[in-house]
Amino acid sequence: MQNNPEKKAKPLVVELAPGKHAICCCGQTSNAPFCDGSHRGSEYRPEIVQVDTLPANFAWCTCRASGKVPRCDGSHRQFWDNPAKPPPKAE
């Protein structure tokens, strides 16, 4: 049995313009992937990304299984065709 392809976990790819960006690491932001301060009062802090010249594409984890949160490391692929191993639930 395979998971529904429409429900596959995928990274959120965004193009960041030159400048400094605060990327959410707590998973509670309403402005994904950017930090909106929802982490206040927790141990989480945003990842600060500095883009120096050209716009840059970054892939941010949405499955919560990445070993490099908030960046995608491809861990979502382990859930695609394995209904016995669903992705972690959002906290």
Side-chain angles (χ1 to χ4, degrees):
M1 179 177 172
Q2 290 188 323
N3 290 336
N4 183 337
E6 276 75 39
K7 298 202 179 213
K8 287 184 177 181
K10 296 179 184 175
L12 176 61
V13 179
V14 293
E15 183 178 284
L16 299 178
K20 192 181 285 190
H21 306 274
I23 305 301
C24 175
C25 290
C26 75
Q28 301 302 313
T29 185
S30 61
N31 190 26
F34 304 103
C35 176
D36 68 0
S38 294
H39 65 275
R40 288 191 182 102
S42 75
E43 72 275 11
Y44 294 101
R45 299 292 174 264
E47 178 178 336
I48 305 301
V49 175
Q50 177 67 44
V51 178
D52 292 322
T53 53
L54 301 175
N57 288 330
F58 289 89
W60 305 109
C61 175
T62 61
C63 77
R64 301 181 149 272
S66 175
K68 297 180 178 182
V69 169
R71 296 171 185 263
C72 176
D73 69 358
S75 293
H76 59 275
R77 291 184 192 110
Q78 66 183 310
F79 308 117
W80 283 4
D81 295 320
N82 189 356
K85 188 172 184 182
K89 298 257 189 245
E91 296 173 8

